[in-house]
């Protein structure tokens, strides 16, 4: 999308705040974040989250999990009840202005003035960040062109199609060249073709150095795009992991094996993760594609006879059943 | 520098908004006030006889101008800021690194600009009907500016608290209009019985109208310094109130 060469880079001023710190730092650091809404509903129950600079990060969770609440607090739209948030090392309470300069937000719902023209929306947003009008126009042209909206620059925003509105929100979020782009369910209700091209676009700007956090309730989307993932449910982070590790975990069944005799030593069997629990019991993680076949034989060969075996509940399982349910009732899914 | 650019962005957006919809924002006041001049000034005014030693028409022109400034400054900010809230594009400002006082200044600036535009049109119309001319331009400019700022702030506060389109018309209709009409635009409080004269002195708009009138024709029912103290004091209170609302995010953040 916006190349870091060209006019944007020629204005290092706007990166000033974001560039003070080391590149290895976290783009986002959340500690013990809580949110209780006015009606007493506790939407976030003390979450921790770390997103590395340069990462492509998914915050996955079913509807009502607390994704938008989290995003809202990070982007100063929602007041936190307690906890701390740092954006590129800038604490939201102490250096809110510097933190804000690092963030570009694509909200879940359309939120621009329906009567304003596309170009004005983007140019004004640049103005709010202190970018002079002449440069704001150049940046707006660049952003709108990259999102294939330049032809629509003089259209009034309410006349845009759903997909165009979504793209306009992305253009608006990028006009001040944020180091961290946050997208709240960017592809919900968007048809598959637009979804694909949006994925491609996001991948590109991530490669060019923008840290991206997106929320989604499609595992497929997170799987396709993201290197790290956190799963949120009922206001708790239930998983915070590299994407690859999560997938491995998801494609693994855990069994508890009951042995006839106490295990004399911790057994190892290639391909399986074994873990002695008590004298007579072993836990084993079995990759779905391997199955149980070789395992029992190999254990027997090591002198361990399995008398019974039961499936241990996978704590992620229920969550994913929820997610899948969610996707089934989402009308957007039908077009996907 | 940053802040100046952000301020100008909000201000120009606000001006652009009311200019774009001028048949709704500028024309109505021009027409109503022309009618006031025609009916009260020319038709009825001839029979009313002189007011405070001058023709009735001359007497009401300054007040009518200021009345349009008050309603338009208020109306501009309350409508614009409420619709910004309603359409949620207020979020564009809330996520940006703009200090709250710049947001406030931008919207108030928009209200003042609207007051200037409409007040200017009404003044020009008024000049057709009378020979009244600005006697103390500096005084007129200050009273205009401060009054427009004050009612822009009031409109802003109204919009922050409003939860529906009804909420943004209640105060203008049931509070502002009566205060303006009873604020000495059309009569001198010298005409009122003692009690009502005293009651009228509690109406802040009376001071603004009289100070403004003084700038044109050199007469006033009230002391001009008192008028400035009251307007200035009210502005300070509303600025503080607005900034507290913005800092708390009242009505804007959940
Ligand atoms: N303004 C609010 N007042 C009360 N409850 C709210 C408010 N906003 C959201 N919630 C509740 O908080 C929970 C989390 O909402 P949200 O963060 O929007 O979830 P998600 O984005 O993951 O779908 C939901 O149960 C929602 O109903
Ligand atoms: Mg949400």
């Amino acid at each position: 999308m916006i190349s870091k060469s060209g006019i944007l880079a020629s204005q290092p001023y706007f990166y000033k705040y974001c560039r003070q710190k080391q590149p290895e730092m976290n783009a986002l650091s959340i500690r013990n974040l809580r949110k209780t809404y006015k009606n007493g509903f506790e939407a976030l129950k003390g979450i921790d989250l770390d997103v590395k600079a340069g990462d492509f990060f998914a915050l996955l969770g079913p509807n009502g999990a607390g994704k938008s609440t989290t995003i809202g607090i990070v982007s100063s739209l929602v007041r936190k009840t307690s906890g701390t948030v740092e954006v590129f090392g800038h604490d939201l309470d102490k250096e809110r202005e510097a933190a804000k300069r690092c963030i570009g937000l694509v909200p879940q719902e359309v939120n621009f003035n329906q009567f304003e023209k596309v170009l004005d929306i983007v140019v004004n947003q640049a103005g709010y960040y202190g970018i002079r009008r002449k440069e704001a126009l150049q940046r707006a042209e660049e952003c709108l062109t990259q999102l294939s909206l330049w032809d629509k620059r003089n259209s009034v925003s309410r006349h845009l199609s759903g997909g165009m509105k979504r793209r306009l929100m992305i253009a608006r979020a990028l006009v001040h060249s944020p180091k961290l782009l946050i997208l709240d369910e960017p592809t919900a209700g968007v048809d598959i073709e637009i979804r694909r091209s949006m994925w491609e676009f996001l991948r590109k700007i991530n490669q060019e150095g923008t840290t991206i956090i997106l929320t989604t309730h499609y595992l497929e989307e997170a799987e396709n795009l993201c290197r790290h993932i956190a799963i949120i449910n009922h206001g708790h982070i239930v998983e915070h992991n590299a994407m690859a590790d999560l997938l491995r975990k998801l494609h693994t069944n855990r069994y508890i094996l009951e042995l006839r005799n106490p295990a004399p030593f911790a057994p190892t069997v290639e391909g399986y993760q074994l873990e002695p629990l008590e004298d007579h019991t072993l836990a084993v993680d079995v990759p779905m594609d391997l199955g149980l076949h070789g395992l029992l034989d190999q254990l027997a060969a090591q002198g361990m006879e399995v008398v019974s075996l039961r499936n241990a509940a996978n704590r992620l399982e229920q969550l994913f059943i929820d997610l899948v349910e969610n996707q089934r009732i989402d009308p957007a899914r039908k077009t996907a | 520098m940053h802040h100046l650019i952000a301020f100008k962005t909000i201000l120009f957006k606000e001006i652009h908004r009311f200019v774009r919809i001028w048949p709704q924002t500028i024309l109505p006041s021009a027409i109503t006030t022309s009618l006031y001049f025609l009916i009260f000034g020319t038709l009825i005014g001839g029979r009313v006889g002189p007011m405070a030693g001058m023709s009735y028409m001359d007497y009401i022109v300054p007040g009518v101008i200021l009345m349009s400034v008050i309603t338009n400054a208020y109306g501009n900010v309350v409508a614009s800021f409420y619709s910004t809230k309603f359409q949620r594009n207020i979020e564009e400002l809330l996520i940006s690194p703009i200090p709250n006082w710049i947001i406030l200044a931008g919207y108030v600036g928009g209200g003042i600009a609207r007051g200037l535009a409409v007040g200017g049109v009404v003044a020009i119309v008024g000049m057709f009907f009378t020979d009244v001319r600005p006697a103390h331009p500096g005084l007129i400019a200050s009273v205009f500016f401060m009054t427009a700022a004050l009612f822009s702030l009031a409109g802003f506060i109204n919009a922050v608290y409003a939860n529906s389109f009804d909420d943004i018309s209640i105060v203008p209709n049931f509070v502002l209009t009566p205060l303006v009409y009873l604020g000495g635009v059309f009569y001198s409080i010298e005409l009122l019985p003692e009690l009502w004269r005293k009651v009228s002195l509690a109406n802040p708009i009376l001071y603004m109208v009289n100070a403004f009138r003084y700038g044109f024709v050199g007469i006033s029912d009230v002391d001009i310094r008192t008028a400035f103290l009251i307007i200035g004091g009210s502005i300070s209170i509303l600025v503080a109130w607005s900034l507290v609302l913005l800092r708390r995010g009242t009505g804007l953040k959940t």
Side-chain angles (χ1 to χ4, degrees):
Chain A
M1 129 95 258
I2 296 177
S3 59
K4 297 290 181 208
S5 51
I7 56 159
L8 301 184
S10 70
Q11 289 290 330
Y13 189 63
F14 296 106
Y15 290 115
K16 189 178 78 179
Y17 294 99
C18 308
R19 285 191 169 169
Q20 286 167 345
K21 311 272 166 92
Q22 295 305 304
E24 275 309 302
M25 73 186 329
N26 281 339
L28 180 65
S29 238
I30 293 178
R31 287 293 169 273
N32 200 17
L33 186 64
R34 291 174 185 274
K35 173 65 187 177
T36 306
Y37 281 106
K38 272 199 213 99
N39 62 3
F41 184 81
E42 199 179 6
L44 296 179
K45 298 165 183 161
I47 66 166
D48 294 334
L49 208 58
D50 285 297
V51 179
K52 288 258 174 323
D55 202 356
F56 202 137
F57 190 94
L59 183 59
L60 178 74
N63 281 327
K67 303 183 296 295
S68 296
T69 301
T70 308
I71 299 307
I73 291 171
V74 171
S75 51
S76 302
L77 295 176
V78 174
R79 284 170 296 182
K80 64 184 163 68
T81 303
S82 65
T84 60
V85 177
E86 279 184 15
V87 181
F88 284 95
H90 303 292
D91 187 299
L92 265 193
D93 294 324
K94 294 173 201 143
E95 305 173 86
R96 187 174 288 270
E97 194 179 320
K100 279 174 159 183
R101 286 191 181 280
C102 299
I103 301 174
L105 174 70
V106 180
Q108 185 170 355
E109 312 278 348
V110 169
N111 71 341
F112 31 69
N113 183 335
Q114 304 282 307
F115 304 101
E116 243 175 323
K117 284 186 194 163
V118 168
L119 184 61
D120 291 341
I121 288 173
V122 181
V123 169
N124 283 342
Q125 190 70 25
Y128 300 153
Y129 284 83
I131 298 169
R132 252 180 253 98
R133 188 166 171 83
K134 184 159 166 277
E135 197 201 329
L137 281 164
Q138 285 175 297
R139 284 168 175 253
E141 175 170 358
E142 209 170 322
C143 291
L144 288 171
T145 304
Q146 308 240 21
L147 284 144
S148 319
L149 283 172
W150 183 240
D151 292 345
K152 294 280 173 192
R153 64 189 175 278
N154 290 318
S155 303
V156 172
S157 68
R158 70 165 181 256
H159 293 148
L160 299 180
S161 69
M164 287 178 187
K165 284 179 178 164
R166 196 73 64 155
R167 272 160 28 220
L168 173 56
M169 293 203 290
I170 298 179
R172 183 184 61 182
L174 290 170
V175 74
H176 63 288
S177 312
K179 296 266 293 176
L180 170 62
L181 179 66
I182 304 178
L183 305 101
D184 196 356
E185 308 221 17
T187 59
V190 163
D191 71 45
I192 187 66
E193 212 164 300
I194 296 178
R195 185 174 298 186
R196 288 261 154 75
S197 72
M198 210 179 279
W199 286 356
E200 206 171 299
F201 175 76
L202 293 176
R203 244 184 234 119
K204 183 164 149 249
I205 60 172
N206 177 246
Q207 273 158 16
E208 286 167 357
T210 307
T211 309
I212 297 182
I213 298 176
L214 60 78
T215 77
T216 180
H217 57 257
Y218 305 126
L219 177 62
E220 181 204 3
E221 179 159 277
E223 203 179 327
N224 247 298
L225 290 171
C226 301
R227 285 190 288 280
H228 289 92
I229 184 168
I231 299 173
I232 184 170
N233 199 19
H234 301 303
H236 290 289
I237 297 284
V238 293
E239 183 75 26
H240 191 328
N241 217 331
M243 195 69 223
D245 290 339
L246 175 83
L247 291 175
R248 204 172 301 128
K249 217 158 154 181
L250 267 180
H251 295 130
T252 302
N253 286 319
R254 190 175 182 88
Y255 292 93
I256 308 294
L257 309 181
E258 200 79 38
L259 304 178
R260 182 169 302 283
N261 304 307
F265 53 90
T268 52
V269 179
E270 190 164 338
Y272 302 90
Q273 199 84 42
L274 286 154
E275 185 190 332
L277 293 180
E278 292 156 30
D279 279 357
H280 286 266
T281 50
L282 277 180
V284 58
D285 292 327
V286 180
M288 278 176 189
D289 52 346
L290 272 186
L292 285 165
H293 287 304
L295 178 68
L296 301 184
D297 292 346
Q298 296 228 32
L299 281 174
Q302 294 181 39
M304 280 171 244
E305 191 186 340
V306 176
V307 288
S308 77
L309 147 174
R310 65 189 159 86
N311 199 316
N314 183 337
R315 72 194 173 97
L316 283 175
E317 225 159 64
Q318 188 53 46
L319 179 64
F320 277 89
I321 290 168
D322 290 351
L323 280 172
V324 168
E325 280 298 310
N326 240 314
Q327 296 177 21
R328 206 173 289 142
I329 56 172
D330 185 336
R333 192 69 190 176
K334 290 196 198 100
T335 57
Chain B
M1 192 58 207
H2 269 135
H3 294 168
L4 183 64
I5 293 169
F7 168 74
K8 276 167 41 184
T9 305
I10 301 174
L11 178 63
F12 291 158
K13 186 182 68 134
E14 284 302 292
I15 293 175
H16 188 230
R17 188 194 78 94
F18 75 72
V19 169
R20 186 181 59 210
I21 51 174
W22 66 273
Q24 290 172 48
T25 52
I26 297 175
L27 200 55
S29 281
I31 292 175
T32 341
T33 50
S34 301
L35 289 172
Y36 283 142
F37 292 141
L38 192 67
I39 295 166
F40 293 117
T42 313
L43 300 179
I44 298 175
R47 311 218 167 174
V48 170
M51 175 83 67
M54 67 185 68
S55 83
Y56 187 62
M57 183 71 192
D58 289 1
Y59 187 82
I60 66 168
V61 165
V64 170
I65 296 172
L66 197 68
M67 178 165 83
S68 66
V69 170
I70 290 174
T71 49
N72 279 280
Y74 192 98
N76 198 69
V77 181
V78 77
S80 175
F81 197 73
Y82 181 69
S83 101
T84 298
K85 210 173 97 164
F86 180 76
Q87 298 189 58
R88 310 230 327 234
N89 55 312
I90 184 68
E91 294 179 359
E92 293 174 342
L93 291 166
L94 297 180
I95 64 168
S96 308
I98 310 180
N100 291 335
W101 64 272
I102 292 283
I103 297 179
L104 185 64
Y107 277 89
V108 168
I112 294 172
R114 165 96 169 262
L116 185 62
V118 178
V121 170
V122 172
I124 290 167
V125 173
M127 300 301 134
F128 276 115
F129 287 89
T130 64
D131 296 327
V132 168
R133 295 293 177 264
H136 309 287
L139 179 71
I140 291 172
S142 331
V143 176
F144 156 76
F145 189 81
M146 291 173 73
T147 306
L150 177 60
F151 285 94
S152 299
L153 288 162
F156 182 85
I157 292 169
N158 187 173
V160 166
Y161 283 112
N163 284 317
S164 70
F165 281 97
D166 283 344
D167 293 346
I168 66 169
S169 64
I170 287 172
V171 178
N173 287 332
F174 297 104
V175 181
L176 204 53
T177 308
L179 284 181
V180 169
Y181 279 84
L182 299 174
V185 173
F186 296 104
Y187 54 84
S188 162
I189 57 166
E190 299 302 325
L191 300 180
L192 300 176
E194 178 68 16
L195 174 67
W196 290 107
R197 195 184 316 160
K198 287 225 172 86
V199 171
S200 295
L201 287 174
N203 178 357
I205 293 179
L206 180 81
Y207 296 84
M208 302 166 204
V209 168
N210 275 283
F212 199 63
R213 180 179 293 126
Y214 185 88
F216 284 90
V217 296
I219 54 154
S220 168
D221 287 346
V222 300
D223 178 50
I224 301 301
R225 276 163 305 179
T226 314
F228 272 101
L229 272 177
I230 288 176
I231 309 175
S234 310
I235 289 177
S236 314
I237 293 168
L238 296 201
V239 165
W241 187 356
S242 306
L243 291 177
V244 168
L245 290 176
L246 279 171
R247 195 177 58 224
R248 290 199 190 141
T250 308
L252 307 175
K253 297 185 183 182
T254 46

